[in-house]
Structure formats: C-alpha cells, structure tokens
Amino acid sequence: MKLPKRYDPREAEPRWQQRWEETGIFKFGRFPDRPVYSIDTPPPTVSGAIHIGHVFSYVQAEVVARFQRMRGMNVYYPFGFDDNGLPSERLVEKEKGVTAAEVGRDKFVQMCLELTKEYETEFKDFWRSLGISVDWNEDYSTIDPVSQRISQRSFLDLYKKGRVYRKEAPTLWCPECHTAIAQAEVEDAEHASVFYDVAFKIDGRDLIISTTRPELLPACVGMFAHPDDERYRDIVGQKATVPIFGYEVPIMADDKADPEKGTGLVMCCTFGDTTDIAWWQEHGLDTRLVLDDQGHMNELAPGYEGLYLKKARKKIVEDLEGAGLLRGEEPITHDVNVHERCGTEIEFSVASQWFVRVLDIKDRIIEAGSKVSWHPEFMEVRFRNWVENLKWDWCVSRQRYYGVPIPLWTCSSCGEVVLAGEDQLPVDPTVAAPPVEACPECGGSLEPERDIMDTWMTSSCTPFINLKWREEGDRTEAFVKSDGDGNEYLMDLRPQAHDIIRTWAYYTIVKSVLNEGKIPWRKAMISGHVLHPDRAKISKSKGGGAHSPSAVIEERSADGTRYWACSSRLGVDTMMADEAFDAGKRLVVKLWNASKFAIGRMEDIDLEAPRELSTIDRWLLARLSATVERAAESYEACEYHAAMEAAETFFWHDLCDNFIEIAKKRLYGDEGYDDATRRGAQFALYQALLATLKMVAPVMPHITEEIHSLFFAGREGVESIHISSWPDPPKDWSDDEAEESGQLALSVIEGMRKAKSVAKVSVAAPVGTLSVVCDDDAWARIEPMRSELLDVSNAGELVRAETRDDSFVETDREGVLVAAELIDTSEA
Ligand SMILES: [Zn+2]
Ligand SMILES: [Zn+2]
C-alpha cells in the first residue's frame, strides 16, 4: 500500500466524519462488558451562534473521551442543549422582534421551541464538522419532556426534604428582563456615574450625603452614621427631612456606616444595595419600593411617577439644583452589579419568590466540592470562595414564560401548597388540573403556580438526566462509582469553563448532595476562555465576529483547529494565535510525509518473521515506552498539552530526525545488512509510527485515522484507530542500557552534523574518517553501532582518537568530542 502524494483535509475530514457516524464507533454500549466512563457534557446555551470559545473548551474535553475509549472504557459521551429559560427567550425576542407580552404565552413558547430547534440543527452540524465523538443517540435538551420531568422531580424531592420555601423577600431584580435573578447571575461591571452631594435638613441645618442614586431619594427610609462619629452624635435619634419629597426619616447609628467615606453620613433606601437590605432587616425600617418591575417610578415619587429611573434621576437632579439642595457633583467610575444576560444594572425588589435553602449547608457543599478532583487544582479555590461568600439562598422562581414550570398549586384562602403527583410529571400547573379538587386544609380553591424555574434548576440536573434518574432504564447502578471511603460519585468527568464554576458546577453539586447524598463527579476539568486581542472574552453574548468557528475550520481544517485548542494548558485563557495553527499544520504534513516514507519501507513487513534488533532499534523502543507512559499519565490528568508535547518530541526528534536517518540504509536492505536486521528496523519503525498515531489520535483524529486505515487497520485487525487500544509496550522495551547507548549515538551524530554545519556543507556530505574522543566505557558502547553511525554520517571510517585538535566539536554529552574529516568532492 502506497500513500497518495498529498493529504487533503478538506476531502478527508468530512469523509471520516460520515464514516464514523455510519459505523457507530462512538456509540455508548458498543463494548458493553467494559467499565463505564461517563462524561457530563456541558449543554451549550441556545442563545445565539457558536463561538470559538466553545470550540476551545469542547475539544479539550473531547480529547479525554477519545483517550478513555482507547484505554478500554465504555465511554458515555452524550450531547445536550440548554434551550430553556431567559437566554433562549432573549434570542427569540431579538431575532423575531416580539415579546411574550405582545404575542401571548402559548405562541411565544411555541416560537421559542421552533427557533431553538433550528439552532440545534446548526449546532449539531457544526460539532460534526469538528469531529466531535459524541454519541448522538444520547442527546437531550433541557426543555424536552424527560428533562422537565427529572427537573420537576428534583424540585419536589427538595420540597419534601424541607429545602424549598416561599418568601416575601428582597430579591435581586433585572428591570430589563422583568424577573428575579439569582446571585450567580450577577456580574461586576465598571460604569461611569456621578456622585451628587445632596442636602437633607434638620432644624434648618444641612446634613450632606453623597449618592450616585438620587432617584432613590423617595425610597429613603433612614440615615446612618457610625456610632463613634463625633460629628453626628448629637443628632442620632432625631429626624431629618428628605429633600424635595419633604417627609421625615430617622437618623440612626450603625457601625456599617463608614466615617471615612464622603461625609460619613449615608441614606438608607429600599433598596440601593445589600447594606440597605441588612439595615432594613436589622432596624425594622419602612419599605418604600419606588420602582415598578420595569424600572419606572411609582406613586411614592409624586411628580416623577411613570418616569424610567434614569429619566427620573435627571429630573430630580435638576429639581435639587433649582431648590438649592445640590451641593456638589463629581463624575466617577465605579463598580456596579449588572445582570450577566443583558448587562443592565441590578435593582432590588420585594416579592414572593421560591428559594432553595443553601446558606445553612455551606460546609456540606464545600466538603462535597473538596472530594471532586479539580483540574487544574486551583479551580477548587474559586468554588470554595464562591460558596463561602454566598449571601442569599438560591432564588429559583422566574417571572418568565419559556421554561420548566414550578409543579404546584397554592390555596387562595389559606396558602396551603399542593404538590403535583409523580404520575403527572412533567406538568404545567397552568394547564393541568391539581391532583385534588380543593384545598385539603380548608376546601379553598387552588391557584396554579405561574412562575417557571431558573434554568440552572434544570441544567444542574444534567447528571440526573444522563443517569435517567428514577426513569425507566435508570443507569444509576452502572454509572455510580465509590471511592472506598464511603463517597459515591454519580459520573466520572465534568468538563466546563471556569466562568460557570459559581453557577453550573456549584448548582450541580448542591443538587447531587441534596437529592442523592452523592458527589456529582470524580473529576472536574475546567477550561479557560478565548480572548480577543484586546483581551476581552469572546462569547456568544458579545458575538464571535471574525472568529466564526466555521470559517476557522474551513481555513485551518478540523485537525488544525483542534491542535490549536490543545496548544495551551488546561484552565488557561488563550488567544487566536497563528503560531499554534501553523504548528498543527506542520505536524499534519510531517505525519503524512514520514508515514509515506515509513510505509514504503514496510510493504513486506511480517511481524512474525525472525528479526534482530540493533541497539538503535532497542533505543527507539525504550524511548517509545517512556513516551507512551508519559502521554498516558498526562491525558489521564487532563493535561492534553503535555501529552502532545511528549508525543511530538518523540515523533519529530527520536523517530524522524534520528531513527529514520540512522536506519535508512538498513530499511532499504542495503548491502551489509541481512534480512533479520532489516526486519529489526522495520519492527521498531512499525511500533513507533503506530504508537505515535495513537498518541496523537485524540487531538488530531482525522489525519491519524487516514494513515492508520491505509496501512495499520488491516494488520491490526481493528476498524478504527479510535477504538483500537492504547499502546501497551512490553516490559522488556524499557531498556536503560539501550537508552544510554542510543544517547551516545545521538551525541556522535550531533557532533558530526555540527562539524558539517561549521564547514558549511550539507548533512549528507561525505566524510572520510569520523573521529570520536571519549572514555573507554562510552567507546565500548559506540563501537558496536559502527555501521549505522557510518550510514547516517556518510562516512568511510569510525575511529577513536587519542588526541584532539581544533577540528573537534563538543556534543551534548559531556566528554564526547567528534571530528569529521570531510572529503572534498568539488573536483569529482
Ligand atoms: Zn436582564
Ligand atoms: Zn386552604
């Protein structure tokens, strides 16, 4: 079998992708007797186009799936789509130019379903074009009936365990999306703003406070100073008049007021920030919510009613100025909390919301997190810090439309809650009848819950969805593994990016602990982001632009793109660097060309025929053994980058630069070599090339499959390199002595090449005598490799020199000096 002259990824990659799908080699359960290795694939949010950041992190995880498959595992590698909730609603609003309020709930949900399906088809085609080895029979979406049922089942289980409560409480609120949001959905941003110095009055005396939120003046319910602040000690306990609005508020002391900040005097509103909420709770203050749920002022702000908060701010500032109550203004930039989905500044609201109680079990959550093996290790700290700093229980209700309904009804008379029955799931209480006709407590009528759940309530169930938790065909028994210390793990691997540690990783751990008393996964593999040249994160919400992943694959091939994705260490943010793409391209070309040569020399290979291994053959096999071990350890630890580095060093240097050059004449069956030694070289070459392809296969599945199929597949009796077994070098390939001798041979060759380079002749230039200065021990090893050293040097003679002159060059190995006596062929 001869390899064609060139390899064309544009032709080969789609061909292999189609073949893999037809032959079903990635099907879960293809090898039912093997142990399961289960991967909790991140379901991408269906909220817009795929971006290059997806490619980056999905490839890194997919490499682990391919590696584990070669390691003999029955790999469960599904694909999911997170297509419910706010992100998908916003996509529909943006693309179709409508809101739910305009078209009605049913029509809107239908539009969401249709549009997300369109995107999912596109997504699937894209992932195929990248050669992702998922089992498409195992795909799910978080809005499908099974996912909804599992999500509602999880909610009901938490409810029965006393973990769910409803409370009229201050809630983080997005005025743009008109819904409550969770702490995890809040992001920091820097906004330009203005500090206004505003005068309150007490007995005709000015009390100046500084605020960036003058529109909250009508929401003011008190003023605070530090108890040690001498300036205000005399007025604590008295009342001040709120400017413009003219009503009185109490002046109080609290050590959360910072005397160093501004005038040391602050106003407390309903609610500017979390300190306001704390004061409101601790001091039992009034509630004055002046904003409606869309950010407009209400009747508590007479004269400003109906104005959006920014307009109200402007008008109030003007009016303060007109009344002589504005004493200064200073532009600033400051950190504000924004909603991560839309970038709008967060407000607070007081409303009845559903919560999952988590603040009392922070320790349990942190402990469960500590039993996950995090890669890279420092990511665990991010998780722990997040949990330690939680200030809110998990608000799980959303005042939206497209999502998983909260499965219950409430008595309109006494507030008794009636839960949906298991046989009703999945249920939409606004459509379905409650399991009982009337309230079991008072006979009152039952009102359906209209809120839907936070999307994280469902995506935190992905291990349950993968396990078919309490469904027909429940896989818990097959998947769950124990560590022998009483800890049980639902799945093997969770790959995800670092920005969702505080959401997806955190919520999944909460669910696994509360619903099942288990730890969700043994390993968490946390990837970094792709940064724009200006170092901003490339993501769907901001648009991938010129870095459209399809364009990148078209230009750079799937293997080249995958190589780039694996060119930095796990967890590290990266850039779109040409160097990495170019290195990937070079590797593809080199693999092809080296294979073309090697396969040409192995046409008559017979692995059973008698063979004699030379020292160099044994050196190559010893290097191969060490490399395979290193690569396996690295892949096992999710360090694909180190695995590739080991494989590439072996391939480029040991195999191509040295072994093939040294063994060339033997491989050609030149005079002076018998058949057994030729077969020895063939054997070493065969093993080295096959193992190289296998080590590279997880990262570059197409080129390796192509070469493997053209030569190795038939001989190895395996359909695809991706279900072939990981190289398992016999013990006797590890050979310290051969390694040592081989290194000496490399030193001599290096010296010879240096000498030629100094003389500015080609590496193939003929040499009369190759002279080596070394100790007795080294010479005893070098001498038996004479014929191969002469071959590679194109030299007539190899001698040990006693004396040295300026023509000798030093080599990598201390004490070995080499001189090459060049033959002038210019006359000939
Ligand atoms: Zn929002
Ligand atoms: Zn009742």
Side-chain angles (χ1 to χ4, degrees):
M1 177 75 218
K2 261 176 110 168
L3 257 52
K5 199 150 178 262
R6 283 186 64 242
Y7 168 74
D8 178 10
R10 280 201 176 81
E11 179 278 321
E13 292 185 343
R15 171 160 51 78
W16 280 115
Q17 287 152 15
Q18 197 186 342
R19 176 88 68 86
W20 293 333
E21 203 146 326
E22 282 164 10
T23 51
I25 59 165
F26 304 130
K27 204 172 167 349
F28 173 60
R30 186 183 171 104
F31 304 101
D33 300 335
R34 298 180 175 183
V36 170
Y37 189 90
S38 54
I39 301 174
D40 190 13
T41 312
T45 308
V46 183
S47 61
I50 295 170
H51 57 87
I52 197 75
H54 282 123
V55 173
F56 185 64
S57 59
Y58 278 77
V59 165
Q60 294 171 359
E62 201 259 351
V63 162
V64 174
R66 286 186 183 268
F67 169 72
Q68 293 294 346
R69 220 175 266 122
M70 293 172 88
R71 291 286 262 186
M73 305 301 281
N74 179 12
V75 173
Y76 173 76
Y77 187 34
F79 206 89
F81 294 101
D82 194 9
D83 52 6
N84 81 73
L86 200 46
S88 300
E89 284 194 18
R90 290 192 66 83
L91 177 71
V92 171
E93 288 176 348
K94 207 172 80 195
E95 291 220 347
K96 305 285 179 194
V98 297
T99 64
E102 287 160 17
V103 297
R105 179 180 174 131
D106 289 352
K107 177 96 203 293
F108 187 71
V109 166
Q110 197 51 43
M111 289 171 83
C112 288
L113 279 169
E114 279 163 18
L115 190 68
T116 52
K117 276 286 160 282
E118 268 174 45
Y119 268 93
E120 282 162 34
T121 309
E122 238 175 76
F123 274 30
K124 278 190 191 179
D125 289 346
F126 172 77
W127 293 119
R128 285 193 179 99
S129 75
L130 195 58
I132 293 282
S133 65
V134 300
D135 180 353
W136 290 106
N137 299 304
E138 297 288 342
D139 66 346
Y140 65 84
S141 105
T142 54
I143 199 69
D144 72 32
V146 176
S147 298
Q148 290 207 37
R149 187 159 63 224
I150 288 174
S151 176
Q152 290 184 331
R153 183 178 292 139
S154 158
F155 175 91
L156 293 172
D157 183 60
L158 295 180
Y159 192 99
K160 288 167 192 163
K161 286 174 171 155
R163 281 280 147 201
V164 176
Y165 66 93
R166 177 166 48 188
K167 196 178 159 193
E168 186 88 13
T171 313
L172 295 161
W173 188 269
C174 176
E176 168 69 21
C177 300
H178 311 163
T179 184
I181 58 172
Q183 190 181 348
E185 291 171 277
V186 177
E187 230 170 40
D188 292 333
E190 259 198 1
H191 280 192
S193 186
V194 179
F195 246 129
Y196 297 98
D197 293 336
V198 178
F200 282 55
K201 291 280 185 186
I202 180 167
D203 299 336
R205 168 183 165 194
D206 278 358
L207 293 175
I208 309 292
I209 57 114
S210 294
T211 181
T212 56
R213 305 283 313 263
E215 73 277 14
L216 289 184
L217 279 172
C220 181
V221 290
M223 300 183 88
F224 283 91
H226 195 274
D228 299 338
D229 196 332
E230 300 287 348
R231 291 169 293 180
Y232 305 109
R233 207 166 258 178
D234 60 321
I235 53 165
V236 166
Q238 300 189 38
K239 288 190 170 185
T241 306
V242 178
I244 297 181
F245 300 94
Y247 65 96
E248 291 192 322
V249 292
I251 303 166
M252 290 157 285
D254 191 295
D255 49 19
K256 282 195 280 294
D258 181 357
E260 305 293 317
K261 218 169 143 188
T263 58
L265 195 62
V266 284
M267 68 170 178
C268 171
C269 307
T270 320
F271 297 103
D273 57 23
T274 50
T275 310
D276 285 352
I277 294 171
W279 278 334
W280 171 77
Q281 283 164 341
E282 287 159 22
H283 296 267
L285 301 174
D286 283 352
T287 308
R288 286 181 65 89
L289 272 175
V290 294
L291 293 175
D292 69 12
D293 62 9
Q294 303 187 18
H296 298 104
M297 307 296 278
N298 62 18
E299 70 285 353
L300 286 174
Y304 307 93
E305 211 177 326
L307 288 183
Y308 188 65
L309 65 94
K310 284 195 176 146
K311 278 201 179 136
R313 180 183 303 173
K314 196 162 165 263
K315 187 152 189 287
I316 287 176
V317 168
E318 283 167 15
D319 293 349
L320 284 168
E321 196 156 24
L325 296 167
L326 188 66
R327 297 302 160 78
E329 47 188 295
E330 185 196 349
I332 53 156
T333 50
H334 66 156
D335 289 332
V336 294
N337 292 323
V338 299
H339 184 202
E340 63 167 4
R341 303 281 187 206
C342 67
T344 305
E345 274 185 59
I346 295 302
E347 298 294 336
F348 295 89
S349 172
V350 176
S352 176
Q353 303 287 354
W354 290 98
F355 293 88
V356 172
R357 187 177 291 111
V358 284
L359 292 182
D360 61 327
I361 51 158
K362 282 185 183 186
D363 290 352
R364 264 171 79 193
I365 305 296
I366 290 170
E367 198 202 344
S370 75
K371 287 176 178 160
V372 175
S373 161
W374 298 77
H375 299 263
E377 217 180 313
F378 67 84
M379 293 293 181
E380 191 203 334
V381 178
R382 296 201 189 179
F383 171 76
R384 206 172 41 224
N385 286 345
W386 170 254
V387 180
E388 276 168 0
N389 291 311
L390 278 173
K391 293 191 173 73
W392 305 70
D393 279 332
W394 180 7
C395 174
V396 298
S397 45
R398 296 289 181 274
Q399 291 68 52
R400 300 294 305 188
Y401 312 95
Y402 184 56
V404 180
I406 295 177
L408 54 81
W409 292 260
T410 305
C411 171
S412 52
S413 310
C414 73
E416 175 76 5
V417 167
V418 172
L419 300 177
E422 164 70 30
D423 58 346
Q424 288 185 286
L425 307 184
V427 68
D428 180 353
T430 63
V431 176
V436 288
E437 259 174 47
C439 173
E441 291 297 313
C442 74
S445 66
L446 296 172
E447 283 297 316
E449 177 61 51
R450 295 188 178 276
D451 287 354
I452 58 167
M453 291 195 241
D454 176 11
T455 58
W456 294 113
M457 268 300 264
T458 305
S459 49
S460 58
C461 289
T462 53
F464 298 157
I465 295 169
N466 288 315
L467 256 60
K468 298 184 190 278
W469 185 58
R470 303 183 194 173
E471 291 281 310
E472 201 185 317
D474 189 320
R475 292 159 164 163
T476 310
E477 214 167 296
F479 278 37
V480 171
K481 290 176 188 167
S482 162
D483 67 355
D485 280 331
N487 301 307
E488 288 188 303
Y489 297 84
L490 298 176
M491 297 185 77
D492 287 288
L493 179 71
R494 155 62 70 87
Q496 64 162 73
H498 61 63
D499 60 331
I500 50 174
I501 288 176
R502 62 181 192 166
T503 47
W504 196 38
Y506 160 64
Y507 290 135
T508 311
I509 291 175
V510 168
K511 285 287 191 84
S512 301
V513 167
L514 290 179
N515 283 132
E516 274 290 280
K518 293 185 173 59
I519 297 147
W521 345 269
R522 295 199 298 177
K523 260 184 208 171
M525 176 183 186
I526 310 293
S527 56
H529 287 305
V530 181
L531 305 173
H532 265 306
D534 64 4
R535 306 208 71 82
K537 171 188 156 197
I538 294 179
S539 80
K540 57 209 167 238
S541 53
K542 283 146 197 149
H547 300 296
S548 136
S550 303
V552 173
I553 291 178
E554 176 64 25
E555 190 192 339
R556 303 290 198 166
S557 82
D559 279 350
T561 305
R562 296 170 60 104
Y563 183 91
W564 159 77
C566 294
S567 63
S568 53
R569 295 170 59 90
L570 180 67
V572 174
D573 292 343
T574 198
M575 309 271 259
M576 296 278 293
D578 280 345
E579 301 81 56
F581 285 104
D582 293 345
K585 193 172 176 185
R586 275 199 302 278
L587 180 57
V588 167
V589 171
K590 185 72 177 176
L591 280 169
W592 187 257
N593 289 340
S595 299
K596 208 161 57 180
F597 170 82
I599 289 168
R601 306 273 64 77
M602 296 194 292
E603 272 169 29
D604 68 338
I605 193 164
D606 178 358
L607 296 170
E608 305 303 318
R611 62 175 172 255
E612 194 182 310
L613 295 176
S614 76
T615 307
I616 286 298
D617 299 335
R618 285 187 289 115
W619 162 78
L620 185 71
L621 295 174
R623 285 284 305 130
L624 177 61
S625 264
T627 305
V628 163
E629 194 179 328
R630 170 98 205 283
E633 279 169 10
S634 301
Y635 276 132
E636 199 69 63
C638 309
E639 290 167 10
Y640 46 78
H641 175 63
M644 278 299 278
E645 204 171 74
E648 281 194 81
T649 302
F650 174 77
F651 171 67
W652 285 95
H653 299 297
D654 295 332
L655 182 57
C656 295
D657 288 352
N658 292 306
F659 179 79
I660 287 182
E661 292 303 321
I662 297 170
K664 217 171 214 168
K665 290 195 175 170
R666 223 164 17 113
L667 286 164
Y668 274 109
D670 270 21
E671 233 178 294
Y673 293 110
D674 59 23
D675 200 50
T677 53
R678 184 175 72 91
R679 290 196 181 280
Q682 275 185 332
F683 177 81
L685 179 60
Y686 182 95
Q687 302 297 351
L689 183 58
L690 177 58
T692 298
L693 293 174
K694 289 185 177 190
M695 289 187 283
V696 175
V699 173
M700 299 181 128
H702 305 88
I703 176 76
T704 50
E705 182 80 304
E706 180 84 352
I707 297 169
H708 185 267
S709 75
L710 290 172
F711 184 72
F712 292 102
R715 286 176 175 80
E716 295 286 311
V718 56
E719 191 179 340
S720 160
I721 191 171
H722 302 299
I723 50 171
S724 73
S725 53
W726 182 255
D728 184 20
K731 277 220 157 44
D732 63 358
W733 287 10
S734 301
D735 183 338
D736 291 347
E737 210 189 305
E739 259 205 87
E740 174 111 341
S741 299
Q743 288 309 325
L744 276 166
L746 297 197
S747 289
V748 173
I749 293 165
E750 185 214 301
M752 173 273 292
R753 286 174 178 161
K754 257 192 206 168
K756 289 182 179 178
S757 146
V758 169
K760 298 194 166 56
V761 297
S762 85
V763 287
V767 172
T769 304
L770 195 63
S771 311
V772 178
V773 175
C774 63
D775 63 20
D776 291 347
D777 180 51
W779 182 250
R781 289 166 180 276
I782 291 170
E783 215 276 330
M785 299 185 284
R786 171 187 299 272
S787 59
E788 285 166 307
L789 287 171
L790 294 178
D791 286 352
V792 68
S793 311
N794 194 13
E797 237 186 312
L798 174 76
V799 298
R800 185 180 182 193
E802 295 298 333
T803 54
R804 44 174 290 193
D805 59 32
D806 289 350
S807 65
F808 280 85
V809 293
E810 281 199 50
T811 73
D812 266 355
R813 207 184 151 87
E814 220 178 302
V816 176
L817 297 164
V818 177
E821 182 207 17
L822 296 158
I823 296 172
D824 187 359
T825 53
S826 57
E827 308 268 304

